[in-house]
């Protein structure tokens, strides 16, 4: 066995299923393994590398800032952080305060705590098939029992309703509900897009009952769905928006955008040692500049429409449905996807699963049309190939 695999298998925690390749370099939508084999990367660090790998503007910002100041607690002011907060505060004009942290689950955790603090209530309504992270609060909002059950009991007060069902939401939100938390497109849950009107109804219901609306844009945010934020596809102003993944061009970051209904955030109520450090803020500033100046949301909209149309044209009996928004695309098969993902990898394309039967494609938004054509051809030929029975399990 490759020595590098052996070390990771012996000494990493064991909580990740591993693919038998070591990726050592990336550029744009491509990555290379330790043997020099090239892949088009539709995993993109699980939807992080929206700008593509090793973007020179982000690399430069990191290297300049690393020589100036890497760490500084939010108890002190900083030029990079102030500039980033100013930009994030304008992303949804009504949400003009920001809590900075280091990951998606932390952004969700903050939003949940802020909702409880603001309302004095404890209930949280989330959606079936929703995914919000792995820390105890975020995990309580996550649906999949495979992630939840080994850790029971979770945080009390959480319930789950079917996604895109307004009536169920009406029934679930009560005077004990602190917040409703929803994704605009459920990513991990199988790439399911919110129906027109559903999120607007969630807004109306929460407002009417005095609960807050949290929109989790950890996966959908930063251009992925064809808009800077996916909520821009709808007529929607939530109370809290969670961001992470692509926000800092690949460095770890999380952010909760905070609206006026969020109250009682006084010193000491919440915090993070690394949150808002100058290095990550400099990277995020550079990443946002590239996102906007190169109109990556617009590029994602056009490329995503092309990808969806071509995939819908494949007409394989194995394909149950092709779904998505922008460059967040799911191909649901009538079979488990694992062997087909392996066949795509053999053909030089990395893709990943959303559940057991959905192939998820989250390519960098800078992917070229020629690269998209290669992805489509690799998927077409992978699902056209008979899979040996032993691989089906
Ligand atoms: N929320 C959503 C919608 C996600 O897709 C994810 C991760 O995939 C998270 C939260 C958790 O983010 P992280 O893995 O950075 O904690």
């Amino acid at each position: 066995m490759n020595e590098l695999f052996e070390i990771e298998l012996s000494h990493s925690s064991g909580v990740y299923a591993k693919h038998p390749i070591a990726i050592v370099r990336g550029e744009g939508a491509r990555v290379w393994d330790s043997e020099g084999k090239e892949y088009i990367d539709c995993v993109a660090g699980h939807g992080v590398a929206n700008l593509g790998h090793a973007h020179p503007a982000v690399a430069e910002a990191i290297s300049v800032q690393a020589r100036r100041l890497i760490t500084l607690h939010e108890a002190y002011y900083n030029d990079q952080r102030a500039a980033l907060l100013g930009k994030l505060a304008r992303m949804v004009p009504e949400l003009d305060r920001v809590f900075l942290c280091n990951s998606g689950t932390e952004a969700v955790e903050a939003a949940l705590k802020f909702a409880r603090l603001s309302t004095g209530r404890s209930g949280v309504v989330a959606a079936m098939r929703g995914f919000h992270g792995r820390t105890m609060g975020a995990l309580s909002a996550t649906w999949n029992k495979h992630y939840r059950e080994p850790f029971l009991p979770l945080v009390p007060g959480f319930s789950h309703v079917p996604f895109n069902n307004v009536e169920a939401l009406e029934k679930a939100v009560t005077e004990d509900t602190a917040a409703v938390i929803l994704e605009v497109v459920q990513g991990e849950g199988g790439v399911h897009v919110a129906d027109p009107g559903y999120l607007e109804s969630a807004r109306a219901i929460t407002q009417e009952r005095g609960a807050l609306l949290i929109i989790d844009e950890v996966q959908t945010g930063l251009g992925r769905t064809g808009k800077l934020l996916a909520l821009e596809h709808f007529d929607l102003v939530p109370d809290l928006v969670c961001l992470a993944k692509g926000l800092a061009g690949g460095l770890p970051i999380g952010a909760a955008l905070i609206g006026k209904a969020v109250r009682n955030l006084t010193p000491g109520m919440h915090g993070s040692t690394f949150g808002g450090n100058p290095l990550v803020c400099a990277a995020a500033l550079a990443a946002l500049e590239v996102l906007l100046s190169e109109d990556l949301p617009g590029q994602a909209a056009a490329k995503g429409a092309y990808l969806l149309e071509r995939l819908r044209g494949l007409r394989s009996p194995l394909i149950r449905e092709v779904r998505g928004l922008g460059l967040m695309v799911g191909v649901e098969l009538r079979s488990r996807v694992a062997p087909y993902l392996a066949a795509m990898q053999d053909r030089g394309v990395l893709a990943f699963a959303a559940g057991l039967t959905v192939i998820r494609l989250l390519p960098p938004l800078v992917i070229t049309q020629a690269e998209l054509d290669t992805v489509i051809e690799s998927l077409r030929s992978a699902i056209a190939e008979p899979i040996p029975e032993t691989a089906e399990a």
Side-chain angles (χ1 to χ4, degrees):
M1 197 198 305
N2 182 319
E3 190 190 349
L4 192 155
F5 295 177
E6 215 166 290
I7 297 172
E8 284 212 27
L9 285 173
S10 306
H11 301 299
S12 78
S13 63
V15 302
Y16 299 101
K18 308 286 265 188
H19 300 278
I21 50 174
I23 302 297
V24 294
R25 188 165 73 82
E27 190 183 326
R30 293 175 191 237
V31 291
W32 286 265
D33 72 13
S34 51
E35 311 291 307
K37 182 173 171 183
E38 180 179 293
Y39 302 84
I40 298 173
D41 183 13
C42 295
V43 179
H46 286 212
V48 169
N50 289 11
L51 270 56
H53 292 283
H55 195 287
V58 175
E60 178 64 14
I62 292 172
S63 109
V64 168
Q65 187 60 37
R67 282 189 227 105
R68 247 179 109 202
L69 185 67
I70 293 177
T71 190
L72 182 76
H73 194 272
E74 266 215 47
Y76 297 90
Y77 296 101
N78 175 259
D79 56 340
Q80 301 300 315
R81 187 190 307 120
L84 179 63
L85 288 174
K87 287 210 164 19
L88 291 176
R90 285 192 289 279
M91 219 172 243
V92 185
E94 293 84 354
L95 279 58
D96 63 357
R97 283 180 296 154
V98 185
F99 176 76
L100 291 170
C101 48
N102 316 288
S103 64
T105 200
E106 281 176 75
V108 168
E109 210 67 39
L112 295 171
K113 286 180 74 177
F114 295 169
R116 283 190 165 183
L117 197 62
S118 303
T119 60
R121 304 170 175 186
S122 62
V124 175
V125 179
M128 292 173 181
R129 291 192 309 235
F131 183 86
H132 301 288
R134 312 271 196 164
T135 51
M136 291 304 248
L139 184 61
S140 305
T142 290
W143 164 250
N144 190 336
K145 68 177 194 311
H146 176 68
Y147 302 142
R148 295 165 56 86
E149 278 185 353
F151 303 101
L152 295 177
L154 297 174
V155 178
F158 284 68
S159 61
H160 292 84
V161 291
F163 189 58
N164 278 335
N165 182 329
V166 176
E167 215 175 297
L169 199 59
E170 284 266 14
K171 284 199 189 117
V173 180
T174 69
E175 61 277 14
D176 296 324
T177 305
V180 170
I181 181 165
L182 295 167
E183 294 158 270
V184 178
V185 182
Q186 294 187 313
E188 178 76 20
V191 190
H192 296 275
V193 185
D195 285 345
Y198 178 64
L199 296 172
E200 290 90 335
S201 297
R203 174 68 291 185
I205 294 165
T206 46
Q207 229 147 22
E208 188 188 293
R209 316 261 160 97
L212 303 192
L213 179 62
I214 303 169
I215 296 294
D216 180 348
E217 293 245 19
V218 167
Q219 197 164 139
T220 53
L222 291 320
R224 171 62 55 197
T225 70
K227 302 271 189 194
L228 186 60
L229 297 183
L231 57 80
E232 293 167 26
H233 291 284
F234 305 90
D235 184 15
L236 189 67
V237 180
D239 299 301
L240 288 145
V241 171
C242 302
L243 300 174
K245 292 204 189 275
L247 181 54
L251 286 198
I253 189 169
L257 309 185
I258 302 167
K260 302 273 179 287
V262 177
R263 290 188 292 266
N264 306 329
L265 294 180
T266 51
M269 276 300 129
H270 196 51
S272 161
T273 295
F274 289 122
N277 69 75
L279 184 71
V280 82
C281 290
L285 281 167
L288 282 173
E289 171 64 29
V290 173
L291 258 174
L292 297 175
S293 65
E294 295 181 10
D295 187 23
L296 293 185
Q299 290 197 39
K303 292 169 187 174
Y306 174 77
L307 179 61
L308 280 169
E309 188 192 318
R310 290 282 316 276
L311 290 172
R312 283 180 178 136
L314 289 181
R315 303 200 181 289
S316 156
L318 202 59
I319 296 180
R320 190 188 296 278
E321 193 180 21
V322 177
R323 300 185 286 267
L325 195 59
L327 281 174
M328 184 166 179
V329 169
V331 180
E332 182 166 352
L333 301 186
R334 294 192 162 83
S335 159
R336 286 174 180 243
V337 296
Y340 302 105
L341 292 175
M344 287 175 74
Q345 183 175 303
D346 290 344
R347 290 162 169 77
V349 172
L350 303 182
F352 64 139
L356 292 175
T357 59
V358 178
I359 293 177
R360 183 168 25 162
L361 302 170
L362 298 180
L365 313 184
V366 296
I367 192 168
T368 64
Q369 170 132 358
E371 286 166 338
L372 278 179
D373 288 338
T374 305
V375 171
I376 295 157
E377 173 51 26
S378 100
L379 194 147
R380 187 204 63 74
S381 69
I383 63 174
E385 187 182 87
I387 297 292
E389 257 175 40
T390 48
E392 291 256 19

